[in-house]
Amino acid sequence: MKVLGIISSDKKLNRMINTTFDKWEEKSYRPVFISSEDDINEFINYELPEIIVINFSDPNIELTSLIKRLEEDSWLHYFGIIGLYDQEITDEDK
């Protein structure tokens, strides 16, 4: 079973993701929830996931160093990144 890294400390969001995974019949991925900088770095270094989900609205996670690392390390360019952001887009933003 492959792992799907969920970088988020938002308990409500993490519960929602977990509930969605529990409902899927296809169990080819297992969500792994990560929120500390050390755990994020260790996960990315050693798990080499195919996909990660990053909660870019999470105020408890320092994302600047993670983004810089993703940009600079060419080995990390081989997985997909799904970004979540908590902001409504209005007509003025378009």
Side-chain angles (χ1 to χ4, degrees), residues 14-29:
N14 294 350
R15 240 186 340 271
M16 202 170 16
I17 291 170
N18 223 7
T19 300
T20 301
F21 267 91
D22 287 343
K23 291 179 181 179
W24 281 1
E25 290 181 26
E26 174 65 35
K27 301 289 184 189
S28 58
Y29 284 93

Side-chain angles (χ1 to χ4, degrees), residues 16 32 54 57 84:
M16 202 170 16
V32 174
I54 303 174
S57 295
L84 305 177

Side-chain angles (χ1 to χ4, degrees), residues 1-92:
M1 185 177 298
K2 301 171 190 170
V3 293
L4 174 68
I6 312 292
I7 299 174
S8 171
S9 68
D10 184 325
K11 291 179 183 184
K12 182 178 177 183
L13 173 65
N14 294 350
R15 240 186 340 271
M16 202 170 16
I17 291 170
N18 223 7
T19 300
T20 301
F21 267 91
D22 287 343
K23 291 179 181 179
W24 281 1
E25 290 181 26
E26 174 65 35
K27 301 289 184 189
S28 58
Y29 284 93
R30 174 181 56 89
V32 174
F33 298 91
I34 316 144
S35 58
S36 78
E37 188 171 353
D38 289 339
D39 290 343
I40 292 167
N41 287 326
E42 184 177 322
F43 178 81
I44 290 173
N45 282 337
Y46 299 109
E47 291 292 336
L48 296 173
E50 291 183 11
I51 304 170
I52 60 172
V53 176
I54 303 174
N55 179 3
F56 285 105
S57 295
D58 196 323
N60 300 317
I61 297 176
E62 171 51 50
L63 293 172
T64 307
S65 61
L66 172 61
I67 292 168
K68 183 177 180 186
R69 184 146 178 265
L70 292 173
E71 290 175 341
E72 292 175 352
D73 190 340
S74 62
W75 281 100
L76 301 179
H77 295 178
Y78 292 99
F79 57 80
I81 299 172
I82 299 171
L84 305 177
Y85 195 77
D86 185 20
Q87 180 178 355
E88 184 176 333
I89 297 175
T90 64
D91 288 335
E92 295 172 7

